[in-house]
Amino acid sequence: MEISVQDYARECADKGLRGNYAVCRSDFTVEQEYDYTDAEQEVWRILSDRQTKLTKRLAHKSYLDGVEALGLIDRIPDFDEVSQKLRKLTGWELVAVPGLIPAPAFFDHLAERRFPVTNWLRKREELDYIVEPDMFHDFFGHVPALTQPAFADFMQMYGQKAESLIELGGGDMIERLYWYTAEFGLMQEAGQVKAFGAGLMSSFSELQFAVESPDAHHVPFDIETVMRTVYEIDKFQRAYFVLPSFSALKDGFEKSDLAAIIARWKDAPVLDPATI
C-alpha cells in the first residue's frame, strides 16, 4: 500500500531524517531552491576536488565522459541546468527530493526517466561518511552514468519492472541487483577493471579499495548470481561484480526471465559474497 506524503513526512521527522519532507509534492519532489551558502559551496568543492583526483584514475571512461558532458566540478549543480544537458543526451532529467523517498515513488520517477536527487549537502564534519544519501552521493555518484544510453535505458526498465517483481516476492533480489550495479558496480575497460557505481564514485576510501586493493573480490557479472547475493550496508563490500559493458547489463535485465529467477530462488538460502 502506498504511503501518503503526510504520513511519510511524519515518519521521517520521527526518525530524525534531515530533509524537509513537509513540503513534498504528491510525487515526493520539492524545489531545489538554489540558495546554498558559501560554506556549502566550499564543502562541494572539497568533496568534488578530492574525489575527482581518484575518479580520473579509477572511474570507467563512461563515467568520466558523463562528467565532462555535464560539468559538475566547480560548484553545487543547478538541477535545471543539468537537466537541459541530460535531456539532449538520453532524455533523462533531475528532480529534487528531500532525501530518501518511498520505493514506489522512486520507481515511478525512474520509469519516466526522472532521477531523484537530494537537495541538501552534507556538512564539513561529514566529509568522509554520512548516514543518509545527500546531494553529493546522488549527483556526483549517479548522474554522470545517466549520460550513457544503455545504462540510461537499464535504469528506466528497472523502474518499470521493479514493482511487479517485488509483488512476486523478489523485493530483496531486485534490491541486490540495483546495489551491485548502480551503487557498487565495476566494469571492464581495455583489460582493466574500473568503477562506475555511485556508492564507489562518492566514497573516497571504498573506491580505492574496490578497484586497486588485492583484497577486493571481483566476480564476473551474472544477473542470477547478483540477485542471490547479500550485500553490506555499513562496510566495504565483500564482492564486486564486474560488467563487460552497460549493454550487457541492459540486455541481461531485458532478456532474462526475472520472474522465473525469483520463483526459483526467493525461498532458497542466499549466497555469501565472500564465497561466490
Side-chain angles (χ1 to χ4, degrees), residues 239-268:
Y240 299 93
F241 288 91
V242 183
L243 285 163
S245 66
F246 281 146
S247 293
L249 173 61
K250 174 191 171 184
D251 291 347
F253 190 73
E254 188 174 26
K255 297 175 181 178
S256 297
D257 190 340
L258 300 175
I261 293 174
I262 290 169
R264 186 157 55 245
W265 297 112
K266 66 179 181 178
D267 297 320

Side-chain angles (χ1 to χ4, degrees), residues 157-208:
M157 287 189 296
Y158 184 93
Q160 292 169 334
K161 293 183 178 184
E163 284 196 77
S164 63
L165 296 173
I166 290 171
E167 290 172 0
L168 296 175
D172 289 342
M173 299 177 76
I174 201 70
E175 284 181 10
R176 293 170 196 146
L177 178 61
Y178 189 89
W179 185 267
Y180 279 120
T181 56
E183 292 290 353
F184 289 93
L186 302 177
M187 191 156 57
Q188 291 285 348
E189 181 186 312
Q192 294 183 304
V193 172
K194 297 295 182 74
F196 72 89
L200 298 175
M201 294 298 96
S202 60
S203 171
F204 183 76
S205 55
E206 190 163 4
L207 174 58
Q208 296 176 81

Side-chain angles (χ1 to χ4, degrees), residues 77-90:
D78 182 306
F79 296 174
D80 289 338
E81 289 180 4
V82 175
S83 291
Q84 291 178 18
K85 299 176 183 178
L86 197 53
R87 286 189 200 101
K88 293 177 181 178
L89 293 167
T90 57

